[in-house]
Amino acid sequence: MKEAFRLTETARHVLRQYGLEPDKLTNCSVRTYHFGEHIITEGIPNEYLFLVTAGRAKVGVSAPNGKNIILCFYISKGLMGEAELYARMATGSTTITVLETLTCIAIPVPVNRAYLDSNLAFTRMAAAALADKLLQRAGNVVENTLYTAQTRLCRYILGAAVGGRFRDVMTDVACSIGISYRHLYRMMGRLCREGILEKGTSGYRICEWEKLQELSQQR
């Protein structure tokens, strides 16, 4: 992770989009995270609110058996840590892992809480973000209940793909779409044999986007 304490014009613009005046915030920074790094970790102390400006990440939560279930994806924008902010939580409620180099604004909560709590424009934006996540997670429940395993896998690949390539922790993928690790590899092999994916040394290349999208819409 790299961190710069001088806010860029882009960062200032993003803050204002959320109703936040940069000069009224204290000790903010711009952070850059790379593939596989954790921005927030479940159960680990976190005192920051994050505003995503670019990149992609996945949000997961640990199941009682220790496996990681993916709840949703961030793509180029969004808030991270707002649930912890309003719930007054000192630790992360989820684990956020970078899929593609991600840039975000880190706002230390303790020294900025009074301003964040009293800012109605920001509160409305944060409420909308939480509502969107709730709806997305409700949709995930419907997916896992009504869609076939193949459809769930194709939708997951499309959500996690970066630059035409897909790489992820396969145990997380299997757990998130509700199938066994062995069944997942059988399905990935089938997609490769059909020419939709091509296995490489660092993941899979998506060869047939249209076909993958078509499969992701089947039930």
Side-chain angles (χ1 to χ4, degrees), residues 6 17 21 23 28 45 50 56-57 63 73 82 99 105 109 117 147 153 163 187 189 196 199:
R6 182 177 180 180
Q17 286 183 320
E21 183 53 49
D23 294 335
C28 293
F50 300 93
R56 188 183 297 241
F73 295 96
E82 75 276 25
L99 294 173
I105 304 163
V109 170
D117 285 347
Y147 291 3
L153 174 59
M187 294 175 66
I196 298 171
K199 194 175 188 315

Side-chain angles (χ1 to χ4, degrees), residues 29-136:
S29 62
V30 176
R31 293 183 178 183
T32 301
Y33 293 86
H34 300 284
F35 178 82
E37 289 188 304
H38 290 171
I39 303 170
I40 296 176
T41 303
E42 184 179 359
I44 300 299
N46 172 60
E47 295 185 338
Y48 290 89
L49 173 73
F50 300 93
L51 280 66
V52 180
T53 60
R56 188 183 297 241
K58 63 179 181 179
V59 184
V61 63
S62 296
N65 60 6
K67 294 182 179 180
N68 198 38
I69 300 173
I70 305 307
L71 301 176
C72 64
F73 295 96
Y74 283 98
I75 305 174
S76 301
K77 63 179 180 179
L79 287 169
M80 300 181 292
E82 75 276 25
E84 291 85 349
L85 169 69
Y86 289 114
R88 298 298 199 267
M89 295 179 63
T91 61
S93 61
T94 60
T95 295
I96 301 178
T97 308
V98 175
L99 294 173
E100 177 187 18
T101 300
L102 185 142
T103 304
C104 60
I105 304 163
I107 302 174
V109 170
V111 295
N112 292 293
R113 183 177 291 280
Y115 177 58
L116 295 172
D117 285 347
S118 64
N119 189 313
L120 183 57
F122 170 73
T123 300
R124 287 174 174 166
M125 295 287 290
L130 285 168
D132 285 343
K133 289 175 185 176
L134 179 61
L135 291 172
Q136 184 176 355

